[in-house]
Amino acid sequence: MTTTAAPAVGSALPRVDGLDKVTGRARYAFEHTPRDALYAAPVQATIARGEVDRVDATEALRRPGVVAVVWHANAPRLAPADDAELAVLQSPRVAYRGQYVAVVLAETPHEAREAARLLHVEYTAEPHDVELRADHPKMYRPAQVNAGYATDEEHGDPDAALAAAPVVVDATYTTPAEHNNPMEPHATVAEWHSGGLVLHDSTQGASALRRTLAALFGMPPEQVRVIARHVGGGFGSKGRAHPHVVLAALAAKQVGRPVKLAVTRQQMFAVTGYRTPTVQRVRLGAEPDGRLAAIVHEAFEQSSTIAEFAEQTTVPTRMMYAAPHRRTCHRLVRLDVPTPSWMRAPGETPGMFALESAMDELAAACGVDPVELRVRNEPATDPATGLPFSSRNLVACLREGARRFGWAGRDPRPGVRREGRLLVGTGVAASTYPAYRAPSAASVTAGPDGDFVVRIAATDIGTGARTALTQIAADALGTAPGRVRLEIGDSDLPRATVAGGSMGTASWGTAVVRACHALVAELDRHAGRVPAGGLTAEADTGEEIRGQEKLARHAFGAQFAEVAVDADTGETRVRRLLGVFAAGRIINPVTARSQFLGGMTMGLSMALLEESVMDREFGDYLNHDLAQYHLAAHADVPDVQACWVAEDDPHLNPMGSKGIGEIGIVGTAAAIANAVHHATGVRVRDLPIRLERLLEHLP
Amino acid sequence: MNTTEDDPAAGAVTADLRLRVNDRSRPVCVDTRETLLDTLRERLDLTGAKKGCDHGQCGACTVLLDGRRVKSCLVLTVTADDREITTVEGLARDGGLHPLQEAFVANDALQCGYCTPGQLCSALGMLAEAAQGWPSAVTPTDAGDGEVRLDEAEIRERMSGNLCRCGAYRGMVEAIGEVAR
Amino acid sequence: MRPFTYVRPGDAAEAVAAAAAPDAAYLGGGTNLVDLMRLGVATPGTLVDVTRVAGDEIEELPGGEVRVGAAVRNADLAGHPLIRRRYPMLAQAVVAGASGQIRNMATVAGNLLQRTRCPYFQDVTKPCNKRNPGSGCPARDGEHRDLAVLGHSAACVATHPSDMAVAMAALGAVVHVAGADGPRALPLPGLHRLPGDHPERDTLLRPGDLITAVDLPVLPMAARSRYRKVRDRASFAFAVVSVAAALEVDHGSGGPVVRDCRLALGGVAHTPWRAEAAETALRGGPATEEAFARAAGAELAAARPLPGNAFKVPLARNLIVRTLAGLVEGSS
Ligand SMILES: Cc1cc2nc3c(=O)[nH]c(=O)nc-3n(C[C@H](O)[C@H](O)[C@H](O)COP(=O)(O)OP(=O)(O)OC[C@H]3O[C@@H](n4cnc5c(N)ncnc54)[C@H](O)[C@@H]3O)c2cc1C
Ligand code: SF4
Ligand code: FES
Ligand code: FES
């Protein structure tokens, strides 16, 4: 097939599911109601550690419409779980406040909730420990950290290099627990058929969820079907199964009727994951001109007593800057807290806040411009692995950003720019995120009418995956995007990796391209004639990805912020935010811009607003709703701009793209904190930048 | 408006009403505890209005009641029996999209789409409020009672009851600004 | 939510009669009550919908006062020309609160009677003296960043969350009530009470009291008044601290002098806090930043902040000084 049409990749194709979303036609998980469905209201533990002794369901069961109460004593047994979080209602143990201890099933949602309120649960409570401290006696060295990285890493002699360095920055930064809070709360509709289990679930990965559930219920994966056509955001929290999915399936099994379970916003603060709080000490040793001799970055984090999740907070420090001596490590303490999990750019997000704040402190200490400082420490090859970078355009991002932002001639003195009662300042920070890829499969079918259907169990959680894959397939098939229809969001489709790690489009796109090319070859064999029943080709990228050349593959970016701090109140508002990214080929400039802006907006929110407050006495995240846990609102997000530098990297994937879902949040908080320092002279090392952290110190 | 007590001790209290939704009259029998949001989503299969918090804190459930935007998760259905209810499903009229819907698509003012129906209904209500000259926290105090000029700061302030975790704010402000002009 | 009977009375008298039912509660816009019912904090057995009977008009009385019906929606209050012209701080306070949707729903009476946002109060699995008298106050040793620095008690350190009520307290608005024993009037800030040993009682209302109207007094200086709210999020967030201020300044040869003033604070106490000590210190004195700071000091001398909210004291002081200074600038 040949075509003269302009390529679809790179064009501003409008979001293909936009129409469904603006008309309300797009259906999300909970919006499927099988006949005869019951509503589930989960009940949460009100102790932080101990055991459930007794559940008295008498009063609850007397309520009209209440069908059943399930708890550990009467719940169906599950196969042993790899992830102890998923052993739902399998034992009386309570590992954290808010853990699910029972579920009520009723004909209406309000009856289910009322009965759950009346359910009487008796506990034996044990003393709990929920406080993260760097000097906690139970800090230990996990065997590895998230995404399989080494826990510790050391090059050269960082202690000696620090001792000898003419300029040293030694500072401790903290980031609070943060919750993903996608707008669509997690929800599952579970229905058992003779053939197995069907779940409508708000998930980032239908194929993975199917494997997890099949194992728990002791079934072959083919007997589980997970459908997730539209997902209202996830940012990592829907990347793996959480207890509610199991609870819904278990409850449906118990009563033999379909069950609808929506996790409430409040419950989400206990049972659907969050970003661990961190304490991070960063030490930089440098020459007077800012050239780094040593970097030491240590992170202290928490996990629950039942599952180990160790965020890879200092991992980006291994590859950001050239420094002959370096140590990075992670320590973890297991507390009586909910289990942390993935939240947008785990590792990079908190880690780069600390590193990029420290770099700003170093710039000030050396009297070197912060953009220039980063340029001076640019490595020739990946400091972590010694491998060449497939492409690395951090410097181009910094330079382009400085130009667009009007950075040149910036007066570095802090606390000297006033506009009336406002203190104004600017700051910069670098961003990075790895360009991963994971095996996936896809199929594509040519219809006799010249249309194509691409099938892959990918999910579009708002990233624009549907749109990008349509463009990728159109080009690979040599047809127009309008002739391509995508079927995604269903585990019955060819197996695909999760929408996470910013690798969705790269992984799925590779599979789609390979399947399309196979189809084109097949069509050629048929002399371009499609048989009446259509023609299908498939591809699986397992081998291709396992065999790919070893290179350091990362996206980079630079973020610039301007803030105004009210000198009387300490209120900080961002005025301008600019992100410049180098992320390979941009498949769709419209949806890509939205992804970058979305990440930066979450970064802004993290910088100024977000904090899950652990209640020491009771052991839960106290501010568990959206009136108390503040997400950035319209009014917080002013002039935000994102753009990119052209990057031609042939070592990535057939599209030449890097992931763009996460890099936008990386570095934003540091850029803002650095701008706050420039505005006020106050260095805020503890997020979020609340007014009381500034008020007493303002000039 | 009368409610029936099925079983005063434990039972539910229900009411028969007619709801006018998107120009259609729909008879329903609801529990007094039911919110308009749950009635729309679970009884009438109008799932456009979304539940993001169920406590008035996110705006995803925004619909119009007699033309004014409200959070349907805090409206008890029994109170809405004689009101005109408009949901996102009722925005497109005469076969065409509402200009706000078109502008949202054109400006990529959405990502996951979950906040979108609420944002659209809220924007529609907001435009009417501005046209009536209602003030906001950024309207200058000395402004007259006339029509409000909807610059970006006004749009942002007036739309702040609708959270978007995807951070599609930029596109939304552009889209709404286009329609306001 | 506990099942309840819904009653829609035909007039105010019927409403008061209906509210005699055990566990009855009036329903305004429902933005606070329905929220608390879903949390299990409020468990009424009967809801008496007063949105159509508690008065939905704003009118000028013969004496020049402005009468606001208790069921007037917050948005209509803020948008009304009489309010915008005569009491700008009230319009500003209302639009500084909640969101457009909530202001369309919330009523004036409901806004006055909304309950604290103390996190423990809202969580029925935890103790709280206000919700469950005698159970204890975990906020004092726990999380109290957003709670009171003035007038609190050992039993409770909660704040009143309203913005509107702060402006009304500064204005000295009068709340009209229809009760089982006939009508009464309560001037603000006297509607609300300090927690003392009975934090479960927010106000001096008696069971069954129906708010019917709020009268705003004749107060020419309020035409130049201001409401300033400090909040963490740029919009759609409760006040950390807020101030409502009106100032009348004589510009004499010896520099500007305060002839009269009104000042109230939000986010600092169990009630909207009328700053009478500061007002007294200000009247007749110079209208300078130094004098404003002294007056703020006089008011805040009584503050007893907790470890987590000590910052509210300097914040309130700065806010008072800056808001008053802004009003002086605007007056010259
Ligand atoms: C997410 C969110 C954010 C908010 N942010 C703010 C903010 O920033 N600033 C702010 O000030 N407020 C804020 N609010 C609170 C809001 O202003 C109040 O919920 C609202 O004003 C209450 O009014 P209502 O009519 O809805 O009251 P309802 O919820 O109907 O009632 C509240 C109370 O008043 C009683 N009541 C109602 N009418 C009468 C009457 N006529 N006579 C006697 N009793 C009566 C009820 O019985 C109930 O106890 C916010 C609310 C939410 C949900
Ligand atoms: S401060 Fe008052 S409302 Fe809060 S927990 Fe203590 S008693 Fe309850
Ligand atoms: S669901 Fe109603 S405001 Fe969030
Ligand atoms: S588009 Fe996802 S929350 Fe707004």
Side-chain angles (χ1 to χ4, degrees):
Chain A
M1 281 200 308
T2 53
T3 175
T4 50
V9 169
S11 76
L13 181 69
R15 199 174 281 271
V16 295
D17 47 13
L19 187 63
D20 284 342
K21 288 176 175 174
V22 297
T23 51
R25 283 203 297 264
R27 273 187 193 257
Y28 298 76
F30 200 72
E31 293 156 8
H32 297 87
T33 305
R35 276 177 61 90
D36 219 22
L38 290 172
Y39 290 85
V43 178
Q44 298 180 279
T46 57
I47 59 167
R49 181 191 174 95
E51 283 200 356
V52 174
D53 294 333
R54 205 169 75 89
V55 171
D56 181 355
T58 326
E59 201 182 344
L61 285 169
R62 253 207 308 267
R63 309 269 337 149
V66 174
V67 172
V69 175
V70 188
W71 60 300
H72 78 83
N74 64 1
R77 295 296 103 190
L78 297 169
D82 293 339
D83 175 356
E85 271 284 355
L86 301 182
V88 181
L89 306 188
Q90 300 299 295
S91 102
R93 286 299 303 171
V94 173
Y96 57 88
R97 191 179 175 106
Q99 194 173 15
Y100 287 149
V101 294
V103 62
V104 176
L105 301 165
E107 303 286 348
T108 66
H110 33 271
E111 274 307 346
R113 280 193 72 165
E114 174 65 358
R117 185 172 78 87
L118 298 171
L119 193 72
H120 191 71
V121 184
E122 280 171 28
Y123 302 93
T124 301
E126 298 162 15
H128 61 256
D129 178 4
V130 294
E131 201 184 347
L132 172 67
R133 289 182 284 123
D135 61 353
H136 197 292
K138 292 196 179 141
M139 276 288 168
Y140 73 101
R141 184 182 176 285
Q144 58 169 30
V145 294
N146 183 47
Y149 287 101
T151 305
D152 296 351
E153 177 252 31
E154 186 163 323
H155 276 257
D157 187 347
D159 296 313
L162 272 177
V167 184
V168 173
V169 168
D170 179 352
T172 298
Y173 304 87
T174 67
T175 59
E178 293 152 358
H179 279 78
N180 308 53
N181 275 316
M183 276 336 285
E184 182 205 12
H186 300 237
T188 306
V189 178
E191 191 174 8
W192 290 85
H193 295 282
S194 51
L197 173 65
V198 178
L199 298 172
H200 283 274
D201 189 70
S202 186
T203 178
Q204 292 173 230
S207 300
L209 189 63
R210 150 155 111 173
R211 279 195 301 277
T212 306
L213 268 281
L216 283 170
F217 286 93
M219 300 186 292
E222 306 76 62
Q223 287 182 17
V224 178
R225 181 173 176 200
V226 177
I227 303 167
R229 298 234 166 76
H230 292 284
V231 177
F235 315 108
S237 71
K238 295 172 182 169
R240 55 169 67 184
H242 291 291
H244 66 277
V245 186
V246 183
L247 192 61
L250 198 91
K253 189 169 184 185
Q254 175 91 334
V255 294
R257 285 174 66 178
V259 163
K260 292 182 71 171
L261 187 155
V263 182
T264 65
R265 182 62 60 182
Q266 286 87 343
Q267 288 171 2
M268 283 169 65
F269 283 77
V271 295
T272 58
Y274 63 99
R275 192 194 301 287
T276 176
T278 71
V279 179
Q280 302 177 57
R281 183 173 179 201
V282 181
R283 280 173 285 170
L284 304 177
E287 298 301 322
D289 66 356
R291 237 171 280 272
L292 286 165
I295 308 180
V296 177
H297 189 172
E298 300 153 304
F300 302 89
E301 310 168 351
Q302 75 185 29
S303 193
S304 68
T305 57
I306 49 170
E308 180 181 272
F309 180 85
E311 182 146 343
Q312 71 274 36
T313 302
T314 72
V315 165
T317 301
R318 296 175 185 169
M319 48 64 66
M320 272 310 286
Y321 299 115
H325 306 280
R326 185 178 68 245
R327 179 166 64 239
T328 55
C329 56
H330 303 86
R331 295 294 177 269
L332 197 64
V333 60
R334 308 288 283 274
L335 300 170
D336 303 308
V337 296
T339 308
S341 180
W342 300 316
M343 175 162 166
R344 208 171 200 166
E348 279 77 13
T349 300
M352 289 289 278
F353 165 67
L355 179 65
E356 291 299 289
S357 294
M359 286 297 278
D360 201 62
E361 302 206 40
L362 181 64
C366 297
V368 176
D369 178 78
V371 169
E372 207 45 48
L373 179 76
R374 289 170 171 87
V375 174
R376 269 182 208 174
N377 286 293
E378 180 71 1
T381 53
D382 177 14
T385 58
L387 293 170
F389 284 103
S390 66
S391 56
R392 173 166 170 134
N393 284 302
L394 173 59
V395 172
C397 293
L398 286 162
R399 296 261 188 254
E400 175 65 7
R403 189 183 68 75
R404 287 181 180 242
F405 195 74
W407 185 263
R410 169 182 182 262
D411 178 352
R413 289 174 303 151
V416 296
R417 282 151 302 274
R418 273 187 185 266
E419 289 178 20
R421 299 299 303 168
L422 297 177
L423 297 157
V424 180
T426 52
V428 64
S431 311
T432 188
Y433 197 80
Y436 302 115
R437 220 158 35 130
S440 291
S443 78
V444 54
T445 301
D449 49 3
D451 283 354
F452 300 89
V453 181
V454 175
R455 294 189 175 86
I456 178 165
T459 33
D460 190 331
I461 59 171
T463 56
R466 242 190 209 97
T467 312
L469 293 177
T470 301
Q471 291 168 275
I472 290 166
D475 283 1
L477 293 164
T479 187
R483 311 235 73 159
V484 177
R485 192 161 58 78
L486 221 71
E487 285 184 12
I488 62 170
D490 186 336
S491 65
D492 274 3
L493 298 167
R495 166 192 57 91
T497 187
V498 68
S502 292
M503 63 180 167
T505 301
S507 310
W508 308 326
T510 303
V512 168
V513 167
R514 299 301 176 227
C516 289
H517 286 169
L519 180 70
V520 170
E522 194 66 19
L523 280 169
D524 284 348
R525 271 193 290 282
H526 285 75
R529 295 226 358 260
V530 179
L535 200 59
T536 297
E538 290 169 10
D540 190 315
T541 62
E543 247 169 70
E544 171 178 355
I545 287 168
R546 276 188 293 277
Q548 79 182 354
E549 187 188 355
K550 285 214 176 324
L551 285 171
R553 296 179 175 83
H554 301 266
F556 291 89
Q559 302 208 24
F560 294 78
E562 178 180 322
V563 304
V565 179
D566 188 305
D568 297 305
T569 65
E571 289 165 292
T572 300
R573 305 286 186 245
V574 173
R575 287 181 161 184
R576 283 198 292 152
L577 205 53
L578 168 68
V580 182
F581 300 94
R585 184 139 168 242
I586 297 302
I587 291 168
N588 182 325
V590 173
T591 54
R593 172 178 175 264
S594 295
Q595 280 289 86
F596 289 130
L597 292 178
M600 292 166 68
T601 300
M602 200 179 275
L604 182 159
S605 192
M606 165 192 182
L608 299 183
L609 301 168
E610 292 183 38
E611 174 175 19
S612 302
V613 178
M614 175 48 68
D615 184 349
R616 246 184 290 165
E617 182 177 357
F618 299 100
D620 61 347
Y621 285 110
L622 180 68
N623 53 336
H624 57 197
D625 64 35
L626 296 181
Q628 301 179 83
Y629 185 97
H630 284 158
L631 310 178
H634 273 277
D636 295 283
V637 185
D639 183 5
V640 196
Q641 310 270 354
C643 58
W644 43 88
V645 297
E647 189 174 74
D648 186 11
D649 185 338
H651 309 291
L652 299 167
N653 54 52
M655 296 77 64
S657 65
K658 294 177 180 173
I660 56 172
E662 286 163 281
I663 191 168
I665 192 179
V666 179
T668 322
I672 291 170
N674 296 342
V676 166
H677 176 259
H678 189 233
T680 63
V682 184
R683 179 67 64 183
V684 181
R685 298 191 181 90
D686 307 292
L687 293 183
I689 304 169
R690 286 187 189 281
L691 56 94
E692 63 265 37
R693 295 192 160 133
L694 290 167
L695 191 60
E696 303 269 16
H697 314 286
L698 292 177
Chain B
M1 234 330 302
N2 283 306
T3 61
T4 328
E5 259 172 86
D6 299 344
D7 170 4
V13 186
T14 56
D16 288 306
L17 6 134
R18 296 194 77 79
L19 291 180
R20 278 198 68 74
V21 188
N22 300 330
D23 285 341
R24 266 184 69 197
S25 178
R26 316 265 304 244
V28 287
C29 174
V30 299
D31 190 297
T32 51
R33 293 170 289 177
E34 215 170 299
T35 59
L36 182 55
L37 179 60
D38 280 340
T39 305
L40 291 170
R41 286 169 61 83
E42 304 301 327
R43 261 183 219 286
L44 301 179
D45 199 33
L46 288 167
T47 55
K50 303 299 181 206
K51 187 182 285 190
C53 71
D54 220 11
H55 286 272
Q57 302 166 351
C58 76
C61 64
T62 304
V63 302
L64 300 170
L65 260 194
D66 291 339
R68 290 170 68 149
R69 53 178 172 159
V70 299
K71 293 187 167 168
S72 63
C73 67
L74 294 180
V75 174
L76 295 171
T77 308
V78 278
T79 68
D81 63 323
D82 50 358
R83 302 289 183 77
E84 184 66 50
I85 300 156
T86 309
T87 69
V88 72
E89 289 94 339
L91 295 192
R93 291 291 164 90
D94 314 320
L97 290 183
H98 188 279
L100 276 169
Q101 291 172 309
E102 274 173 10
F104 265 53
V105 175
N107 288 280
D108 205 41
L110 57 109
Q111 295 185 49
C112 76
Y114 199 76
C115 73
T116 309
Q119 302 275 5
L120 286 162
C121 289
S122 190
L124 191 57
M126 185 276 281
L127 291 174
E129 292 165 10
Q132 287 170 48
W134 288 12
S136 83
V138 303
T139 314
T141 323
D142 52 11
D145 311 332
E147 195 167 327
V148 176
R149 213 180 67 79
L150 281 179
D151 59 16
E152 291 199 353
E154 280 281 5
I155 294 173
R156 286 192 202 107
E157 164 57 27
R158 289 167 188 264
M159 291 300 295
S160 281
N162 292 81
L163 303 178
C164 174
R165 187 51 157 170
C166 294
Y169 293 130
R170 170 96 242 146
M172 284 191 261
V173 171
E174 284 163 1
I176 296 166
E178 262 175 43
V179 176
R181 259 175 257 126
Chain C
M1 218 185 266
R2 180 184 161 195
F4 59 84
T5 308
Y6 172 78
V7 182
R8 192 182 290 166
D11 58 28
E14 256 181 66
V16 174
D23 299 338
Y26 293 123
L27 177 69
T31 59
N32 190 226
L33 187 55
V34 173
D35 180 3
L36 292 176
M37 286 165 67
R38 186 159 304 123
L39 292 170
V41 174
T43 52
T46 300
L47 276 192
V48 183
D49 185 344
V50 295
T51 50
R52 298 159 214 233
V53 298
D56 61 358
E57 306 231 305
I58 297 177
E59 53 183 342
E60 185 168 358
L61 299 179
E65 301 93 342
V66 174
R67 172 157 294 177
V68 181
V72 167
R73 308 283 175 173
N74 286 192
D76 293 319
L77 178 66
H80 200 282
L82 276 178
I83 306 299
R84 291 178 71 179
R85 271 199 295 279
R86 293 193 191 170
Y87 312 102
M89 67 166 148
L90 178 55
Q92 290 168 20
V94 173
V95 295
S99 73
Q101 297 96 317
I102 291 173
R103 296 191 294 267
N104 276 338
M105 305 164 74
T107 62
V108 166
N111 192 321
L112 286 172
L113 300 184
Q114 64 174 299
R115 307 210 68 192
T116 185
R117 308 299 293 200
C118 172
Y120 301 97
F121 174 75
Q122 297 182 70
D123 184 346
V124 294
T125 68
K126 295 179 179 173
C128 162
N129 284 330
K130 184 181 278 298
R131 177 169 33 76
N132 186 6
S135 60
C137 173
R140 181 168 275 279
D141 293 324
E143 185 57 29
H144 50 245
R145 185 232 182 208
D146 294 325
L147 302 186
V149 295
L150 283 160
H152 52 76
S153 68
C156 180
V157 294
T159 46
H160 193 270
S162 170
D163 292 299
M164 183 199 80
V166 178
M168 286 189 173
L171 292 170
V174 177
V175 176
H176 291 279
V177 171
D181 355 300
R184 282 182 299 140
L186 294 157
L188 275 174
L191 170 71
H192 299 95
R193 59 183 293 284
L194 291 176
D197 292 337
H198 288 284
E200 70 279 11
R201 290 170 50 211
D202 292 353
T203 69
L204 294 175
L205 294 181
R206 299 181 204 130
D209 275 352
L210 175 73
I211 297 182
T212 54
V214 177
D215 287 355
L216 306 172
V218 178
L219 194 70
M221 73 167 144
R224 242 189 5 263
S225 60
R226 189 146 187 240
Y227 186 76
R228 170 82 158 86
K229 173 176 181 177
V230 174
R231 43 183 157 182
D232 293 320
R233 184 158 67 185
S235 183
F236 198 28
F238 287 92
V240 177
V241 172
S242 67
V243 60
L247 195 66
E248 196 174 340
V249 183
D250 278 338
H251 289 278
S253 52
V257 169
V258 176
R259 186 183 309 158
D260 200 0
C261 64
R262 290 295 178 89
L263 200 61
L265 298 171
V268 297
H270 197 254
T271 65
W273 188 268
R274 178 77 175 266
E276 277 167 9
E279 288 181 10
T280 309
L282 287 167
R283 277 191 201 102
T288 61
E289 292 202 12
E290 296 70 44
F292 298 157
R294 272 196 304 279
E299 189 66 44
L300 296 165
R304 286 175 296 134
L306 301 165
N309 66 8
F311 72 93
K312 281 191 174 183
V313 177
L315 179 59
R317 183 194 39 192
N318 291 358
L319 205 56
I320 292 172
V321 172
R322 191 53 45 207
T323 309
L324 292 173
L327 285 169
V328 176
E329 269 167 41
S331 73
S332 51

